[in-house]
Amino acid sequence: MTALQLTIKTGSNETPTSYASRLAARNCVSARVLAQDFLFSFQSVVDGEHDEIRRLADLGGVAAEPLIEHAVVKTDSGFSLRGQQLTKPTIRRARVVGCPFCLASDIRGSDLPPAIAVHGRSEWNVASIRSCRQHRASLVTLADALTPGNLHDFTRNVAPTVTDIAKLEDRAVMREPSGLETYLLDRLDGHANHPFLDRLPFYVAAWTTEIVGAVVEFGKKVKLDELTEDQRHCAGDAGFRFMRDGAAGLERCMSELKRNHTYKGPTSSDGPQAVYGKLYMTFAQGLHGPDYDPVREVMRTHILENFALGPDDEVFGKPVEQRRLHSIRTAAKSYQMHQKRLRKLVLAECGVEDQADKADRDILFDAALAERIFLREASLLTLKEVENYLNAPRPLASSLSDAGLIRRHAVGEGTTDRYLKSELDQLISSMYAKAVAVAVPGPEMCSVSEAAKRTNCTTVEVVRLIRDGGLDRVQHVHGKTSGILDLLVDVEEVRLRTRLPELDGLLPLDAARLLRTNQDVVKKLIKLGELQTITQKHPIKRNPINIVQTEEIKRFQRQYVSLFSLARERDIGLPKLKRQLAEIGIQPAFRDELGATFYRRSDVE
């Protein structure tokens, strides 16, 4: 496309729509009329379509790439600016803002009329950016409540206001950009310094930070829609003070909100909605979609770790699958015990003496610990009883305990540890989950202990494999399901699953082949310290063996050469070559009898 006679240059960070509008005004028409006259789609330019932007650039006689870089691109999921994801609520469309000092600079640097001299910057389209980093000033409104027909025609929209640039400068508030604005501008420039926020889509990072800051600055009952732009600027700064530290910062904010929460009364038990207010409700009801799930997951984890919630409760619409904490109140209800008696028991046995001055609702303790305390008399076994219960002889039962596959529980000073029946049942249930009942097992099947013996692994390893579903073939004979040793496994599958990593080097015999010598020579070189070894376990036998790493072989070959290899390289007999070397004063590298002769390469090359 041939360039127009009246053209303009592109400005710093200028959007394609701004350039199209200015180019059209330079030629005394609107942006849409210019597009119609030269048969390109202004809406496609607005949508960031590269081909149409290139046609626009050709028409203006400018490079297309800077315009493409700063285009707001319409995508299937919303919009994208400089590779960062945005949504319709997070970009400015019907309202045009800008920095009056940037606009004044545009006017001073151009001989064009003010409305054509000024241009729109791409970052001004981001709703969460409300300040100019260059001039330390707030952005001001240049046009508002635009009708659909006037959208995106930057020059025509700002023309009435830029004629009095001094008035616009007076309206601006001199201030530092908020922490959020600085982060967003850096991210648009390609910088990534905050891992948690950087992993979130751009608009999620911005909106999450503003919500956190709004609650911190204006209270948990804040009405987000009623905040002014200046208040949102403050919210962004306050929120970023927490969110710059990622998940830990968000949890710190939630901890402060919970610590400062005022309960309705001495017996009230407020949940997350009451404690966190708008912070919780916004993510529970207002912000849908998987993009916000990482934030919800951090909040959900923190809530579950700080509230006595159980299977009857929900957090962000998800049921609480397992109770983590009890309060005196919830435990009393669950176990049908009097709160006063329960409180004494918990303070004595749960290690929460530092919470003695707290109300019953505020004393939190591990739910599993509570379960152990209240059911221990009926459900605890000694190690000897565990042997019969699991059909596991004492060495195996003790090994399972040491490996953490069954947990020992202290029940009081001066008594031996006990084991919970429920946890033992869970272990057996998980091991029999994939077991197939057979009448007659195949010859390849054997007991857990026999498989461990034949594969040089431990019985605990086989048990762990079965429990974790790591074996495909697990059987038991019809009617025999009394415990661990009734299970049958495929010994070859166990051997495959328990095989250790391959050796990270060579055995002396293999090293000898590389060095073109024999195993005895290699062993003597190792004994002399000329070849370094490391000790590793054999992948199958599991016995410790010394190996020579490949890099060590290469080092030796770079430093030494055998008489045999040297003779082959020079096509000369060994005695003759050895005599010739001796005549010129070159002696073997090692005086000890190795069974082979080596020379330093530096001597013979």
Side-chain angles (χ1 to χ4, degrees):
M1 183 180 293
T2 303
L4 295 169
Q5 289 187 347
L6 297 178
T7 61
I8 53 173
K9 296 180 180 179
T10 54
S12 172
N13 291 13
E14 184 168 14
T15 63
T17 52
S18 168
Y19 183 76
S21 180
R22 294 170 61 224
L23 182 62
R26 183 78 174 96
N27 288 271
C28 304
V29 294
S30 69
R32 286 176 173 77
V33 170
L34 180 71
Q36 292 171 359
D37 289 346
F38 289 91
L39 303 179
F40 71 91
S41 169
F42 181 63
Q43 185 58 47
S44 296
V45 173
V46 171
D47 293 340
E49 294 184 12
H50 292 186
D51 289 343
E52 293 298 273
I53 294 175
R54 289 190 178 93
R55 295 183 67 189
L56 169 65
D58 291 342
L59 192 63
V62 297
E65 291 311 312
L67 294 175
I68 290 174
E69 179 185 355
H70 293 282
V72 177
V73 181
K74 188 174 182 180
T75 65
D76 293 339
S77 59
F79 299 90
S80 173
L81 173 62
R82 292 156 73 176
Q84 302 298 331
Q85 186 180 350
L86 293 164
T87 57
K88 190 172 182 179
T90 58
I91 61 173
R92 294 188 178 98
R93 286 303 200 197
R95 178 167 165 262
V96 181
V97 303
C99 170
F101 302 100
C102 289
L103 301 179
S105 177
D106 293 342
I107 295 170
R108 287 194 300 271
S110 173
D111 56 1
L112 295 171
I116 302 176
V118 300
H119 67 275
R121 276 70 167 170
S122 59
E123 59 268 24
W124 295 349
N125 288 283
V126 180
S128 293
I129 296 177
R130 303 178 177 89
S131 304
C132 174
R133 176 155 58 179
Q134 179 181 356
H135 295 102
R136 302 292 191 268
S138 66
L139 304 183
V140 300
T141 299
L142 306 176
D144 201 358
L146 300 177
T147 61
N150 290 327
L151 286 177
H152 314 299
D153 201 336
F154 179 82
T155 302
R156 290 204 163 206
N157 290 330
V158 304
T161 55
V162 298
T163 53
D164 191 352
I165 199 69
K167 185 176 180 181
L168 290 177
E169 290 175 335
D170 290 340
R171 285 166 48 192
V173 177
M174 304 310 297
R175 68 188 183 198
E176 291 290 326
S178 69
L180 173 61
E181 290 168 331
T182 300
Y183 166 75
L184 296 178
L185 290 167
D186 285 343
R187 185 161 166 177
L188 287 173
D189 289 338
H191 303 302
N193 300 314
H194 301 279
F196 180 80
L197 288 176
D198 295 337
R199 287 193 295 269
L200 300 175
F202 187 83
Y203 77 95
V204 173
W207 191 222
T208 298
T209 303
E210 284 196 12
I211 294 169
V212 169
V215 172
V216 169
E217 283 290 294
F218 306 108
K220 53 194 174 188
K221 294 184 179 180
V222 59
K223 296 182 179 179
L224 300 173
D225 294 339
E226 296 181 5
L227 294 180
T228 66
E229 288 293 283
D230 288 341
Q231 288 174 325
R232 287 181 177 273
H233 171 269
C234 293
D237 203 49
F240 190 73
R241 289 197 294 271
F242 290 98
M243 295 306 300
R244 66 188 175 190
D245 295 327
L250 180 54
E251 291 182 18
R252 189 173 73 252
C253 173
M254 296 176 69
S255 295
E256 289 186 10
L257 290 173
K258 189 173 189 294
R259 186 166 55 250
N260 297 328
H261 175 68
T262 301
Y263 286 88
K264 300 173 184 176
T267 60
S268 63
S269 181
D270 295 345
Q273 179 176 340
V275 171
Y276 302 122
K278 187 65 70 174
L279 179 62
Y280 179 85
M281 293 307 298
T282 302
F283 287 95
Q285 298 179 358
L287 298 176
H288 303 291
D291 286 347
Y292 289 96
D293 285 349
V295 180
R296 272 189 282 265
E297 188 57 33
V298 172
M299 295 178 64
R300 188 174 194 273
T301 300
H302 184 80
I303 289 169
L304 292 177
E305 291 175 350
N306 288 275
F307 285 82
L309 301 178
D312 293 334
D313 300 302
E314 289 187 352
V315 180
F316 295 126
K318 293 182 179 180
V320 176
E321 297 178 358
Q322 183 178 6
R323 178 180 290 279
R324 300 187 186 185
L325 296 175
H326 260 306
S327 68
I328 298 293
R329 178 175 296 175
T330 59
K333 181 178 180 181
S334 176
Y335 296 104
Q336 298 182 348
M337 295 182 67
H338 194 281
Q339 283 187 208
K340 288 185 177 181
R341 178 167 177 255
L342 178 57
R343 183 185 180 95
K344 292 180 180 179
L345 195 62
V346 169
L347 291 177
E349 301 194 40
C350 288
V352 291
E353 292 85 354
D354 59 330
Q355 301 186 47
D357 59 341
K358 293 183 178 180
D360 287 351
R361 67 177 176 227
D362 297 327
I363 296 180
L364 303 179
F365 51 97
D366 188 280
L369 190 60
E371 182 78 6
R372 189 191 79 197
I373 291 173
F374 302 124
L375 302 179
R376 68 186 179 191
E377 296 301 324
S379 62
L380 288 176
L381 301 176
T382 65
L383 186 60
K384 181 64 178 177
E385 292 169 331
V386 169
E387 296 174 21
N388 297 327
Y389 197 80
L390 294 181
N391 186 20
R394 177 175 287 274
L396 176 55
S398 180
S399 297
L400 293 175
S401 178
D402 293 339
L405 288 171
I406 57 175
R407 290 194 304 146
R408 58 170 64 96
H409 299 273
V411 295
E413 188 175 349
T415 60
T416 58
D417 292 342
R418 297 290 193 271
Y419 300 85
L420 276 170
K421 282 184 181 179
S422 60
E423 293 178 355
L424 302 179
D425 291 340
Q426 186 178 2
L427 174 64
I428 292 297
S429 176
S430 64
M431 294 183 69
Y432 274 83
K434 293 175 61 176
V436 177
V438 296
V440 180
E444 74 282 3
M445 305 300 287
C446 64
S447 69
V448 170
S449 57
E450 180 65 19
K453 181 179 179 180
R454 290 167 61 180
T455 58
N456 297 307
C457 70
T458 66
T459 307
V460 169
E461 288 180 78
V462 183
V463 171
R464 194 185 299 276
L465 274 173
I466 300 173
R467 184 200 66 174
D468 296 342
L471 296 178
D472 295 327
R473 300 198 65 202
V474 181
Q475 298 178 356
H476 65 88
V477 177
H478 279 300
K480 301 186 83 175
T481 58
S482 62
I484 292 175
L485 294 188
D486 284 332
L487 287 169
L488 304 173
V489 294
D490 185 334
V491 67
E492 291 304 320
E493 185 183 14
V494 173
R495 193 188 312 278
L496 176 65
R497 303 299 187 201
T498 59
R499 182 185 178 98
L500 297 180
E502 296 299 323
L503 296 174
D504 186 24
L506 304 173
L507 296 172
L509 179 61
D510 299 320
R513 293 194 185 99
L514 278 182
L515 294 175
R516 295 183 177 180
T517 185
N518 59 64
Q519 185 175 355
D520 290 337
V521 172
V522 171
K523 289 181 177 179
K524 290 177 181 178
L525 287 171
I526 292 172
K527 185 176 182 180
L528 289 173
E530 297 298 334
L531 274 178
Q532 301 298 318
T533 63
I534 63 172
T535 301
Q536 289 187 341
K537 286 187 177 181
H538 191 280
I540 299 176
K541 297 180 180 178
R542 298 198 175 192
N543 58 305
I545 56 176
N546 293 328
I547 61 172
V548 184
Q549 292 182 295
T550 305
E551 185 57 37
E552 176 64 7
I553 297 291
K554 293 179 179 178
R555 180 201 64 77
F556 184 86
Q557 290 175 323
R558 289 194 299 269
Q559 192 170 354
Y560 302 102
V561 60
S562 69
L563 178 62
F564 175 79
S565 297
L566 191 60
R568 293 194 63 177
E569 290 175 9
R570 300 186 179 185
D571 194 21
I572 188 170
L574 271 69
K576 183 177 180 180
L577 176 58
K578 186 173 184 180
R579 186 172 57 254
Q580 289 177 353
L581 292 173
E583 289 173 354
I584 60 176
I586 298 177
Q587 298 300 320
F590 311 113
R591 295 181 180 180
D592 299 274
E593 288 295 329
L594 297 177
T597 303
F598 291 87
Y599 292 91
R600 290 183 176 85
R601 284 193 178 273
S602 59
D603 292 341
V604 300
E605 291 182 351

